[in-house]
Amino acid sequence: MAISTTKPPPTESATIQKHLQLFNLVMYILIFVVSVTANIFMILVLRRKFRRHRKTAKSFIILMNNLGISGLVLVITSIPFDLVDQNISDEWPFGAGGCKILWPLQTAAVQAMVYSYVALAYHRFHGLTRGLFGQMKFITAVLMTFFIWIISFVTVIPYVLNLDYNYENKTCEENWDSEVAEKGYSVALFLLDYLLPLIVALILYLLVWGKLQRFKVLDPERVGRRDRHQRILRMLVAYIVIFAILLLPYHIMWFIKDFDDGEEKLYFQDTLNVIHMFTYSVTVFNPIIFFLYNPEFKRHLRYLIQCQCITKKEIFSLENLSESFSEESDPPPRLRAKPKAKPLYDYKYDTKSVENNYASTPTMSRAEFDTMPPENSSGLGLVEASLFPAAAGRLRGQEKQRGSSPSASPPPSELMYDNTDARSAGSFDQGSEML
């Protein structure tokens, strides 16, 4: 008579575990490479955007940068250590320090990522407070980022205090004073990490959507602002939907562990390792969704992928202008030698006389000007007096009438004309007082 048992044959269990380990290994490495690469590119693009703009909505960049950093912290402190723990040794290989640091740091990174979603939702709600043009201050975004990490670390303090390293078995275990405390902490994490942020973000999104529907503007600039708000709102809704779907199995598994003795169930640990991939994959979707909904940042991404920052200098054009609430600064101009400016008129001076620009106007010699008595000075300079001798004579009171026409030229003399003043026959005499 066959003996009934709830456990599968050992060969089947070993085969399933082997395939699960191989699947986890491939998926963990893939998620790690894609997540780290995508989040680093997002941070670099945000940094480039931050530096190239004078009047940018830098609060949005700070909050998105914090989202990328929290994703990097999560995958870097989780995936490499999980692979070692699951595939290399049955013991905890990272000692007492790793037991106190790694798991709480992973939990804090998840909380920072979730609270960044809420901060971005509030940032969008704040942007609608002044008729589509409201902007959160830079220092406000910095303080929000600071408090996000403070709250995340404060939340995991009970977790740190109840994690102990067993030196005999070389394992890292949770040692709570009572089951009530353990279950209460699981419920508190579910509320703080999942349910309450989800409710707050959804309420803010509904308020933002309602305000956008009430805005009926005809100004093209305001229409553009409203369209941008709607686009970013769709991005944040995509964030919160993916977060709600992918993190719910993780919390369900922890409830099974704490309330239904999950560790004693068949394949519980293997299933939990697979569920962890859902949590880590959120860090892959964050940068992908960001670039899909922000075309101006997508241009910066193409610039970095093509390595133009290394191979050649960027050519500034209107296509690089931002579609956000900012003005992009031009690159510094190249330094070139300035050409020497040519004079408009080429005056030629000699010791005898000063040449006139007008062919019909006689010149006055320097010697004649110097011999004039001071009391008869008209106050004109040498050049003015030589150009307009008739006007200088009237001001001195010594110029006599030379005819009925006021523009009649004075009689020629050897000192009044230069050789360059000789005019060809038939030329028109414009008069010596032409101004």
Side-chain angles (χ1 to χ4, degrees), residues 256-294:
I256 294 175
K257 172 183 176 296
D258 294 333
F259 291 89
D260 196 20
D261 297 328
E263 292 181 340
E264 299 178 1
K265 296 183 180 298
L266 190 64
Y267 303 128
F268 175 81
Q269 189 60 44
D270 296 327
T271 306
L272 184 60
N273 293 336
V274 175
I275 295 299
H276 283 159
M277 290 189 303
F278 294 168
T279 304
Y280 303 151
S281 61
V282 175
T283 63
V284 176
F285 284 102
N286 286 340
I288 292 176
I289 294 175
F290 170 74
F291 287 117
L292 286 178
Y293 284 93
N294 291 275

mmCIF file of all heavy atoms in Angstrom, residues 256-294:
data_model
loop_
_atom_site.group_PDB
_atom_site.id
_atom_site.type_symbol
_atom_site.label_atom_id
_atom_site.label_comp_id
_atom_site.label_asym_id
_atom_site.label_seq_id
_atom_site.Cartn_x
_atom_site.Cartn_y
_atom_site.Cartn_z
ATOM 1 N N ILE A 256 1.591 36.051 4.241
ATOM 2 C CA ILE A 256 1.532 34.589 4.342
ATOM 3 C C ILE A 256 2.621 34.079 5.287
ATOM 4 O O ILE A 256 2.397 33.163 6.098
ATOM 5 C CB ILE A 256 1.671 33.962 2.940
ATOM 6 C CG1 ILE A 256 0.456 34.323 2.086
ATOM 7 C CG2 ILE A 256 1.824 32.449 3.037
ATOM 8 C CD1 ILE A 256 0.563 33.855 0.643
ATOM 9 N N LYS A 257 3.780 34.688 5.203
ATOM 10 C CA LYS A 257 4.889 34.269 6.072
ATOM 11 C C LYS A 257 4.573 34.513 7.544
ATOM 12 O O LYS A 257 4.831 33.653 8.413
ATOM 13 C CB LYS A 257 6.155 35.016 5.666
ATOM 14 C CG LYS A 257 7.345 34.822 6.606
ATOM 15 C CD LYS A 257 8.515 35.670 6.159
ATOM 16 C CE LYS A 257 9.672 35.542 7.154
ATOM 17 N NZ LYS A 257 9.312 36.079 8.486
ATOM 18 N N ASP A 258 4.022 35.688 7.850
ATOM 19 C CA ASP A 258 3.820 36.060 9.247
ATOM 20 C C ASP A 258 2.511 35.530 9.829
ATOM 21 O O ASP A 258 2.447 35.232 11.030
ATOM 22 C CB ASP A 258 3.856 37.585 9.390
ATOM 23 C CG ASP A 258 5.231 38.158 9.078
ATOM 24 O OD1 ASP A 258 6.229 37.422 9.261
ATOM 25 O OD2 ASP A 258 5.308 39.323 8.635
ATOM 26 N N PHE A 259 1.471 35.396 9.048
ATOM 27 C CA PHE A 259 0.159 35.029 9.574
ATOM 28 C C PHE A 259 -0.227 33.578 9.281
ATOM 29 O O PHE A 259 -1.200 33.080 9.844
ATOM 30 C CB PHE A 259 -0.920 35.961 9.004
ATOM 31 C CG PHE A 259 -0.828 37.367 9.506
ATOM 32 C CD1 PHE A 259 -0.053 38.316 8.847
ATOM 33 C CD2 PHE A 259 -1.506 37.757 10.653
ATOM 34 C CE1 PHE A 259 0.027 39.621 9.307
ATOM 35 C CE2 PHE A 259 -1.432 39.057 11.127
ATOM 36 C CZ PHE A 259 -0.660 39.994 10.453
ATOM 37 N N ASP A 260 0.502 32.906 8.381
ATOM 38 C CA ASP A 260 0.108 31.543 8.009
ATOM 39 C C ASP A 260 1.306 30.594 7.962
ATOM 40 O O ASP A 260 1.267 29.579 7.257
ATOM 41 C CB ASP A 260 -0.597 31.568 6.646
ATOM 42 C CG ASP A 260 -1.362 30.283 6.371
ATOM 43 O OD1 ASP A 260 -1.676 29.552 7.339
ATOM 44 O OD2 ASP A 260 -1.627 30.002 5.188
ATOM 45 N N ASP A 261 2.358 30.910 8.697
ATOM 46 C CA ASP A 261 3.545 30.049 8.747
ATOM 47 C C ASP A 261 4.038 29.719 7.338
ATOM 48 O O ASP A 261 4.188 28.535 6.959
ATOM 49 C CB ASP A 261 3.252 28.763 9.516
ATOM 50 C CG ASP A 261 2.898 29.027 10.970
ATOM 51 O OD1 ASP A 261 3.426 30.010 11.524
ATOM 52 O OD2 ASP A 261 2.074 28.271 11.537
ATOM 53 N N GLY A 262 4.271 30.748 6.570
ATOM 54 C CA GLY A 262 4.646 30.546 5.176
ATOM 55 C C GLY A 262 5.958 29.825 4.985
ATOM 56 O O GLY A 262 6.142 29.130 3.978
ATOM 57 N N GLU A 263 6.899 29.966 5.917
ATOM 58 C CA GLU A 263 8.204 29.340 5.747
ATOM 59 C C GLU A 263 8.122 27.821 5.780
ATOM 60 O O GLU A 263 9.046 27.135 5.330
ATOM 61 C CB GLU A 263 9.157 29.843 6.835
ATOM 62 C CG GLU A 263 9.507 31.319 6.682
ATOM 63 C CD GLU A 263 10.471 31.790 7.760
ATOM 64 O OE1 GLU A 263 10.544 31.098 8.805
ATOM 65 O OE2 GLU A 263 11.134 32.816 7.553
ATOM 66 N N GLU A 264 7.039 27.279 6.336
ATOM 67 C CA GLU A 264 6.883 25.826 6.386
ATOM 68 C C GLU A 264 6.186 25.281 5.149
ATOM 69 O O GLU A 264 6.066 24.055 5.013
ATOM 70 C CB GLU A 264 6.085 25.438 7.637
ATOM 71 C CG GLU A 264 6.766 25.837 8.944
ATOM 72 C CD GLU A 264 5.934 25.478 10.153
ATOM 73 O OE1 GLU A 264 4.837 24.902 9.935
ATOM 74 O OE2 GLU A 264 6.368 25.764 11.283
ATOM 75 N N LYS A 265 5.720 26.106 4.268
ATOM 76 C CA LYS A 265 5.020 25.663 3.068
ATOM 77 C C LYS A 265 6.021 25.296 1.981
ATOM 78 O O LYS A 265 7.134 25.832 1.913
ATOM 79 C CB LYS A 265 4.051 26.743 2.570
ATOM 80 C CG LYS A 265 2.922 27.050 3.554
ATOM 81 C CD LYS A 265 1.968 28.062 2.990
ATOM 82 C CE LYS A 265 0.848 28.340 3.986
ATOM 83 N NZ LYS A 265 0.039 27.131 4.283
ATOM 84 N N LEU A 266 5.577 24.404 1.131
ATOM 85 C CA LEU A 266 6.432 23.925 0.054
ATOM 86 C C LEU A 266 6.686 25.023 -0.977
ATOM 87 O O LEU A 266 5.770 25.730 -1.397
ATOM 88 C CB LEU A 266 5.771 22.721 -0.622
ATOM 89 C CG LEU A 266 6.630 21.930 -1.615
ATOM 90 C CD1 LEU A 266 7.815 21.293 -0.905
ATOM 91 C CD2 LEU A 266 5.767 20.858 -2.286
ATOM 92 N N TYR A 267 7.938 25.170 -1.353
ATOM 93 C CA TYR A 267 8.370 26.127 -2.381
ATOM 94 C C TYR A 267 8.075 27.583 -1.999
ATOM 95 O O TYR A 267 8.028 28.450 -2.877
ATOM 96 C CB TYR A 267 7.716 25.844 -3.747
ATOM 97 C CG TYR A 267 7.976 24.450 -4.276
ATOM 98 C CD1 TYR A 267 6.924 23.647 -4.694
ATOM 99 C CD2 TYR A 267 9.281 23.955 -4.348
ATOM 100 C CE1 TYR A 267 7.153 22.375 -5.186
ATOM 101 C CE2 TYR A 267 9.518 22.681 -4.824
ATOM 102 C CZ TYR A 267 8.451 21.901 -5.243
ATOM 103 O OH TYR A 267 8.679 20.630 -5.714
ATOM 104 N N PHE A 268 7.872 27.836 -0.715
ATOM 105 C CA PHE A 268 7.590 29.223 -0.325
ATOM 106 C C PHE A 268 8.795 30.120 -0.600
ATOM 107 O O PHE A 268 8.654 31.209 -1.168
ATOM 108 C CB PHE A 268 7.209 29.285 1.161
ATOM 109 C CG PHE A 268 7.030 30.693 1.670
ATOM 110 C CD1 PHE A 268 5.841 31.381 1.458
ATOM 111 C CD2 PHE A 268 8.062 31.353 2.338
ATOM 112 C CE1 PHE A 268 5.673 32.679 1.914
ATOM 113 C CE2 PHE A 268 7.902 32.649 2.790
ATOM 114 C CZ PHE A 268 6.712 33.310 2.581
ATOM 115 N N GLN A 269 9.977 29.674 -0.180
ATOM 116 C CA GLN A 269 11.168 30.509 -0.362
ATOM 117 C C GLN A 269 11.496 30.699 -1.837
ATOM 118 O O GLN A 269 11.895 31.775 -2.256
ATOM 119 C CB GLN A 269 12.360 29.878 0.369
ATOM 120 C CG GLN A 269 13.593 30.765 0.429
ATOM 121 C CD GLN A 269 13.338 32.074 1.148
ATOM 122 O OE1 GLN A 269 12.700 32.096 2.206
ATOM 123 N NE2 GLN A 269 13.837 33.172 0.581
ATOM 124 N N ASP A 270 11.324 29.662 -2.633
ATOM 125 C CA ASP A 270 11.582 29.799 -4.072
ATOM 126 C C ASP A 270 10.594 30.765 -4.721
ATOM 127 O O ASP A 270 10.962 31.571 -5.582
ATOM 128 C CB ASP A 270 11.485 28.433 -4.752
ATOM 129 C CG ASP A 270 12.559 27.473 -4.260
ATOM 130 O OD1 ASP A 270 13.667 27.948 -3.947
ATOM 131 O OD2 ASP A 270 12.273 26.264 -4.168
ATOM 132 N N THR A 271 9.342 30.685 -4.291
ATOM 133 C CA THR A 271 8.342 31.618 -4.820
ATOM 134 C C THR A 271 8.630 33.043 -4.379
ATOM 135 O O THR A 271 8.479 33.995 -5.161
ATOM 136 C CB THR A 271 6.939 31.211 -4.351
ATOM 137 O OG1 THR A 271 6.692 29.852 -4.706
ATOM 138 C CG2 THR A 271 5.883 32.095 -4.983
ATOM 139 N N LEU A 272 9.090 33.203 -3.133
ATOM 140 C CA LEU A 272 9.424 34.539 -2.642
ATOM 141 C C LEU A 272 10.590 35.137 -3.424
ATOM 142 O O LEU A 272 10.605 36.342 -3.713
ATOM 143 C CB LEU A 272 9.765 34.466 -1.158
ATOM 144 C CG LEU A 272 10.056 35.797 -0.461
ATOM 145 C CD1 LEU A 272 8.855 36.728 -0.540
ATOM 146 C CD2 LEU A 272 10.465 35.571 0.997
ATOM 147 N N ASN A 273 11.545 34.301 -3.815
ATOM 148 C CA ASN A 273 12.671 34.792 -4.621
ATOM 149 C C ASN A 273 12.201 35.280 -5.991
ATOM 150 O O ASN A 273 12.717 36.258 -6.526
ATOM 151 C CB ASN A 273 13.712 33.695 -4.781
ATOM 152 C CG ASN A 273 14.389 33.328 -3.467
ATOM 153 O OD1 ASN A 273 14.429 34.147 -2.538
ATOM 154 N ND2 ASN A 273 14.905 32.108 -3.383
ATOM 155 N N VAL A 274 11.193 34.580 -6.548
ATOM 156 C CA VAL A 274 10.645 35.023 -7.831
ATOM 157 C C VAL A 274 9.862 36.324 -7.651
ATOM 158 O O VAL A 274 9.945 37.242 -8.490
ATOM 159 C CB VAL A 274 9.752 33.924 -8.440
ATOM 160 C CG1 VAL A 274 9.077 34.431 -9.709
ATOM 161 C CG2 VAL A 274 10.560 32.675 -8.740
ATOM 162 N N ILE A 275 9.113 36.440 -6.558
ATOM 163 C CA ILE A 275 8.345 37.654 -6.288
ATOM 164 C C ILE A 275 9.272 38.850 -6.115
ATOM 165 O O ILE A 275 8.924 39.986 -6.493
ATOM 166 C CB ILE A 275 7.475 37.459 -5.035
ATOM 167 C CG1 ILE A 275 6.413 36.385 -5.288
ATOM 168 C CG2 ILE A 275 6.818 38.760 -4.621
ATOM 169 C CD1 ILE A 275 5.453 36.711 -6.397
ATOM 170 N N HIS A 276 10.469 38.625 -5.571
ATOM 171 C CA HIS A 276 11.424 39.729 -5.423
ATOM 172 C C HIS A 276 11.763 40.372 -6.764
ATOM 173 O O HIS A 276 12.048 41.573 -6.838
ATOM 174 C CB HIS A 276 12.705 39.234 -4.746
ATOM 175 C CG HIS A 276 12.549 39.051 -3.269
ATOM 176 N ND1 HIS A 276 13.387 38.243 -2.530
ATOM 177 C CD2 HIS A 276 11.658 39.572 -2.391
ATOM 178 C CE1 HIS A 276 13.031 38.274 -1.255
ATOM 179 N NE2 HIS A 276 11.974 39.074 -1.152
ATOM 180 N N MET A 277 11.729 39.562 -7.833
ATOM 181 C CA MET A 277 12.027 40.116 -9.152
ATOM 182 C C MET A 277 10.998 41.164 -9.553
ATOM 183 O O MET A 277 11.322 42.122 -10.259
ATOM 184 C CB MET A 277 12.072 39.000 -10.197
ATOM 185 C CG MET A 277 13.272 38.078 -10.052
ATOM 186 S SD MET A 277 13.441 36.938 -11.437
ATOM 187 C CE MET A 277 11.855 36.114 -11.392
ATOM 188 N N PHE A 278 9.742 40.985 -9.139
ATOM 189 C CA PHE A 278 8.722 41.987 -9.446
ATOM 190 C C PHE A 278 9.074 43.326 -8.799
ATOM 191 O O PHE A 278 8.918 44.392 -9.419
ATOM 192 C CB PHE A 278 7.354 41.512 -8.963
ATOM 193 C CG PHE A 278 6.828 40.302 -9.673
ATOM 194 C CD1 PHE A 278 5.730 39.611 -9.190
ATOM 195 C CD2 PHE A 278 7.432 39.836 -10.830
ATOM 196 C CE1 PHE A 278 5.242 38.497 -9.846
ATOM 197 C CE2 PHE A 278 6.961 38.718 -11.499
ATOM 198 C CZ PHE A 278 5.865 38.053 -10.997
ATOM 199 N N THR A 279 9.536 43.263 -7.548
ATOM 200 C CA THR A 279 9.918 44.498 -6.855
ATOM 201 C C THR A 279 11.099 45.168 -7.538
ATOM 202 O O THR A 279 11.106 46.392 -7.737
ATOM 203 C CB THR A 279 10.261 44.190 -5.390
ATOM 204 O OG1 THR A 279 9.161 43.530 -4.773
ATOM 205 C CG2 THR A 279 10.577 45.476 -4.634
ATOM 206 N N TYR A 280 12.111 44.372 -7.915
ATOM 207 C CA TYR A 280 13.290 44.950 -8.556
ATOM 208 C C TYR A 280 12.979 45.500 -9.952
ATOM 209 O O TYR A 280 13.620 46.456 -10.403
ATOM 210 C CB TYR A 280 14.406 43.905 -8.651
ATOM 211 C CG TYR A 280 14.810 43.306 -7.339
ATOM 212 C CD1 TYR A 280 15.308 42.006 -7.247
ATOM 213 C CD2 TYR A 280 14.694 44.034 -6.150
ATOM 214 C CE1 TYR A 280 15.682 41.444 -6.037
ATOM 215 C CE2 TYR A 280 15.059 43.486 -4.931
ATOM 216 C CZ TYR A 280 15.546 42.183 -4.881
ATOM 217 O OH TYR A 280 15.918 41.644 -3.669
ATOM 218 N N SER A 281 12.011 44.890 -10.636
ATOM 219 C CA SER A 281 11.686 45.337 -11.993
ATOM 220 C C SER A 281 11.032 46.722 -12.008
ATOM 221 O O SER A 281 11.013 47.381 -13.052
ATOM 222 C CB SER A 281 10.764 44.326 -12.674
ATOM 223 O OG SER A 281 9.545 44.199 -11.969
ATOM 224 N N VAL A 282 10.516 47.176 -10.869
ATOM 225 C CA VAL A 282 9.977 48.540 -10.804
ATOM 226 C C VAL A 282 11.064 49.551 -11.144
ATOM 227 O O VAL A 282 10.808 50.571 -11.798
ATOM 228 C CB VAL A 282 9.381 48.813 -9.414
ATOM 229 C CG1 VAL A 282 8.919 50.256 -9.297
ATOM 230 C CG2 VAL A 282 8.228 47.878 -9.133
ATOM 231 N N THR A 283 12.297 49.267 -10.715
ATOM 232 C CA THR A 283 13.407 50.191 -10.998
ATOM 233 C C THR A 283 13.755 50.228 -12.483
ATOM 234 O O THR A 283 14.436 51.156 -12.926
ATOM 235 C CB THR A 283 14.641 49.781 -10.191
ATOM 236 O OG1 THR A 283 15.075 48.468 -10.607
ATOM 237 C CG2 THR A 283 14.325 49.744 -8.708
ATOM 238 N N VAL A 284 13.322 49.228 -13.251
ATOM 239 C CA VAL A 284 13.530 49.237 -14.706
ATOM 240 C C VAL A 284 12.465 50.094 -15.379
ATOM 241 O O VAL A 284 12.752 50.854 -16.313
ATOM 242 C CB VAL A 284 13.506 47.802 -15.261
ATOM 243 C CG1 VAL A 284 13.631 47.812 -16.785
ATOM 244 C CG2 VAL A 284 14.632 46.978 -14.656
ATOM 245 N N PHE A 285 11.230 49.994 -14.891
ATOM 246 C CA PHE A 285 10.132 50.743 -15.513
ATOM 247 C C PHE A 285 10.241 52.250 -15.236
ATOM 248 O O PHE A 285 9.766 53.047 -16.051
ATOM 249 C CB PHE A 285 8.786 50.224 -15.002
ATOM 250 C CG PHE A 285 8.384 48.914 -15.613
ATOM 251 C CD1 PHE A 285 8.531 47.736 -14.909
ATOM 252 C CD2 PHE A 285 7.860 48.864 -16.896
ATOM 253 C CE1 PHE A 285 8.156 46.526 -15.467
ATOM 254 C CE2 PHE A 285 7.494 47.660 -17.464
ATOM 255 C CZ PHE A 285 7.639 46.483 -16.738
ATOM 256 N N ASN A 286 10.825 52.644 -14.112
ATOM 257 C CA ASN A 286 10.889 54.075 -13.774
ATOM 258 C C ASN A 286 11.582 54.907 -14.848
ATOM 259 O O ASN A 286 11.009 55.878 -15.354
ATOM 260 C CB ASN A 286 11.571 54.258 -12.421
ATOM 261 C CG ASN A 286 10.690 53.848 -11.262
ATOM 262 O OD1 ASN A 286 9.469 53.774 -11.394
ATOM 263 N ND2 ASN A 286 11.285 53.584 -10.120
ATOM 264 N N PRO A 287 12.829 54.594 -15.240
ATOM 265 C CA PRO A 287 13.457 55.419 -16.297
ATOM 266 C C PRO A 287 12.812 55.249 -17.664
ATOM 267 O O PRO A 287 12.786 56.205 -18.449
ATOM 268 C CB PRO A 287 14.917 54.936 -16.283
ATOM 269 C CG PRO A 287 14.886 53.593 -15.677
ATOM 270 C CD PRO A 287 13.757 53.585 -14.707
ATOM 271 N N ILE A 288 12.302 54.042 -17.969
ATOM 272 C CA ILE A 288 11.684 53.841 -19.278
ATOM 273 C C ILE A 288 10.453 54.727 -19.429
ATOM 274 O O ILE A 288 10.273 55.416 -20.448
ATOM 275 C CB ILE A 288 11.331 52.353 -19.471
ATOM 276 C CG1 ILE A 288 12.598 51.521 -19.576
ATOM 277 C CG2 ILE A 288 10.463 52.172 -20.714
ATOM 278 C CD1 ILE A 288 12.351 50.031 -19.682
ATOM 279 N N ILE A 289 9.596 54.742 -18.423
ATOM 280 C CA ILE A 289 8.395 55.589 -18.474
ATOM 281 C C ILE A 289 8.787 57.063 -18.498
ATOM 282 O O ILE A 289 8.163 57.885 -19.190
ATOM 283 C CB ILE A 289 7.486 55.279 -17.284
ATOM 284 C CG1 ILE A 289 6.935 53.858 -17.406
ATOM 285 C CG2 ILE A 289 6.344 56.275 -17.179
ATOM 286 C CD1 ILE A 289 6.124 53.410 -16.220
ATOM 287 N N PHE A 290 9.818 57.422 -17.776
ATOM 288 C CA PHE A 290 10.265 58.821 -17.748
ATOM 289 C C PHE A 290 10.644 59.307 -19.135
ATOM 290 O O PHE A 290 10.229 60.390 -19.564
ATOM 291 C CB PHE A 290 11.448 58.947 -16.793
ATOM 292 C CG PHE A 290 12.140 60.273 -16.845
ATOM 293 C CD1 PHE A 290 11.559 61.396 -16.281
ATOM 294 C CD2 PHE A 290 13.375 60.411 -17.461
ATOM 295 C CE1 PHE A 290 12.195 62.632 -16.336
ATOM 296 C CE2 PHE A 290 14.011 61.624 -17.518
ATOM 297 C CZ PHE A 290 13.420 62.739 -16.950
ATOM 298 N N PHE A 291 11.416 58.531 -19.878
ATOM 299 C CA PHE A 291 11.841 58.962 -21.205
ATOM 300 C C PHE A 291 10.691 58.886 -22.215
ATOM 301 O O PHE A 291 10.674 59.660 -23.183
ATOM 302 C CB PHE A 291 13.018 58.112 -21.682
ATOM 303 C CG PHE A 291 14.309 58.427 -20.985
ATOM 304 C CD1 PHE A 291 14.946 57.476 -20.201
ATOM 305 C CD2 PHE A 291 14.882 59.686 -21.084
ATOM 306 C CE1 PHE A 291 16.124 57.765 -19.555
ATOM 307 C CE2 PHE A 291 16.066 59.986 -20.437
ATOM 308 C CZ PHE A 291 16.694 59.024 -19.667
ATOM 309 N N LEU A 292 9.747 57.984 -22.018
ATOM 310 C CA LEU A 292 8.620 57.902 -22.942
ATOM 311 C C LEU A 292 7.730 59.137 -22.874
ATOM 312 O O LEU A 292 7.194 59.577 -23.894
ATOM 313 C CB LEU A 292 7.786 56.648 -22.638
ATOM 314 C CG LEU A 292 8.384 55.309 -23.048
ATOM 315 C CD1 LEU A 292 7.465 54.166 -22.627
ATOM 316 C CD2 LEU A 292 8.627 55.250 -24.547
ATOM 317 N N TYR A 293 7.589 59.725 -21.702
ATOM 318 C CA TYR A 293 6.681 60.856 -21.518
ATOM 319 C C TYR A 293 7.387 62.211 -21.516
ATOM 320 O O TYR A 293 6.728 63.228 -21.295
ATOM 321 C CB TYR A 293 5.899 60.691 -20.212
ATOM 322 C CG TYR A 293 4.783 59.685 -20.292
ATOM 323 C CD1 TYR A 293 4.990 58.360 -19.927
ATOM 324 C CD2 TYR A 293 3.513 60.043 -20.752
ATOM 325 C CE1 TYR A 293 3.973 57.419 -20.000
ATOM 326 C CE2 TYR A 293 2.495 59.102 -20.834
ATOM 327 C CZ TYR A 293 2.732 57.797 -20.457
ATOM 328 O OH TYR A 293 1.721 56.878 -20.537
ATOM 329 N N ASN A 294 8.688 62.254 -21.746
ATOM 330 C CA ASN A 294 9.423 63.528 -21.724
ATOM 331 C C ASN A 294 10.316 63.609 -22.952
ATOM 332 O O ASN A 294 11.477 63.183 -22.921
ATOM 333 C CB ASN A 294 10.266 63.646 -20.448
ATOM 334 C CG ASN A 294 9.423 63.799 -19.205
ATOM 335 O OD1 ASN A 294 9.010 64.887 -18.828
ATOM 336 N ND2 ASN A 294 9.144 62.673 -18.549
#
